[in-house]
Amino acid sequence: MKIAVLGAGGVGTALGYGLLDAGHGVVFGVRDPQGRQGFSAPVAELAEAVTSAEVVVNTLPGSVTLDVLGRIGAGPFGTKVLIDVANAITPTFELMYPGDSLGAKLQALLPQAKVVKTLNTVPAAVMTNPGALPERTSVFLSGDDREAKRITGGLLSDLGWQHDDQVDLGSIATARATEHYLYLSLAIMAVSPSGQYNVSVIR
């Protein structure tokens, strides 16, 4: 599958290389391709990366995501699956959209795209290596399109997340729940020096 990973920070490179190792074609979308060297996958300008891909993964900082993707415009996204893993927070670690979510706002901004929120509750160290933890843990999905969630679930499986550990919360409106989890995640992070932690839903 041809996948565009928007952003080349720690999360973007981890996911990009994880998907590359799983056999997918990956291109990193960045604002300044000329300033990015040494990647094991192609690097392109953001809109070009989106246009070339079947699936787009947003790892840009949540605080700038709406602005950056708004400038790209809805055209290049079309009806593609857009996987959003970002949390929109202020410099003081407050939610930018209290009572709402970045995922829902992205769906409103790009109404034809199929937005799926996932992995935003998982530390970067665990996103592509859930087996690093001694027990199986959970990853959540929110989105309006069943097929988009099926595709996203397949990619999560490629990263090591077993199907039974993928919790489908329902529509994109439920992204509010996982984005508001941020405060608990930060508290757990404070007592988890390794950065390797997660939660498990037992049903």
Side-chain angles (χ1 to χ4, degrees), residues 42-124:
V43 179
E45 189 272 335
L46 289 162
E48 180 184 349
V50 172
T51 300
S52 70
E54 299 169 89
V55 172
V56 181
V57 181
N58 174 52
T59 74
L60 296 168
S63 58
V64 302
T65 289
L66 291 179
D67 179 58
V68 174
L69 271 59
R71 281 189 273 114
I72 293 173
F77 288 95
T79 60
K80 296 175 182 179
V81 176
L82 171 58
I83 300 172
D84 177 41
V85 307
N87 286 309
I89 57 175
T90 70
T92 56
F93 293 93
E94 299 293 327
L95 290 170
M96 289 188 67
Y97 309 118
D100 204 340
S101 71
L102 174 61
K105 286 185 174 294
L106 274 175
Q107 187 63 83
L109 177 70
L110 306 168
Q112 299 304 310
K114 300 166 184 174
V115 178
V116 179
K117 190 84 182 190
T118 192
L119 287 174
N120 64 303
T121 59
V122 181

Side-chain angles (χ1 to χ4, degrees), residues 58-200:
N58 174 52
T59 74
L60 296 168
S63 58
V64 302
T65 289
L66 291 179
D67 179 58
V68 174
L69 271 59
R71 281 189 273 114
I72 293 173
F77 288 95
T79 60
K80 296 175 182 179
V81 176
L82 171 58
I83 300 172
D84 177 41
V85 307
N87 286 309
I89 57 175
T90 70
T92 56
F93 293 93
E94 299 293 327
L95 290 170
M96 289 188 67
Y97 309 118
D100 204 340
S101 71
L102 174 61
K105 286 185 174 294
L106 274 175
Q107 187 63 83
L109 177 70
L110 306 168
Q112 299 304 310
K114 300 166 184 174
V115 178
V116 179
K117 190 84 182 190
T118 192
L119 287 174
N120 64 303
T121 59
V122 181
V126 180
M127 285 184 179
T128 60
N129 188 21
L133 296 173
E135 302 288 343
R136 289 168 55 181
T137 60
S138 301
V139 65
F140 304 98
L141 298 92
S142 299
D144 294 335
D145 189 273
R146 185 184 301 273
E147 177 63 10
K149 285 193 281 190
R150 186 194 68 78
I151 291 170
T152 301
L155 294 176
L156 290 172
S157 294
D158 290 343
L159 295 173
W161 294 95
Q162 296 187 41
H163 177 74
D164 288 346
D165 298 327
Q166 300 176 26
V167 181
D168 185 347
L169 297 177
S171 73
I172 195 62
T174 63
R176 180 175 67 173
T178 59
E179 291 188 29
H180 283 60
Y181 167 80
L182 173 73
Y183 294 118
L184 178 56
S185 181
L186 290 174
I188 298 173
M189 182 187 300
V191 295
S192 305
S194 70
Q196 295 187 340
Y197 63 91
N198 196 22
V199 296
S200 180

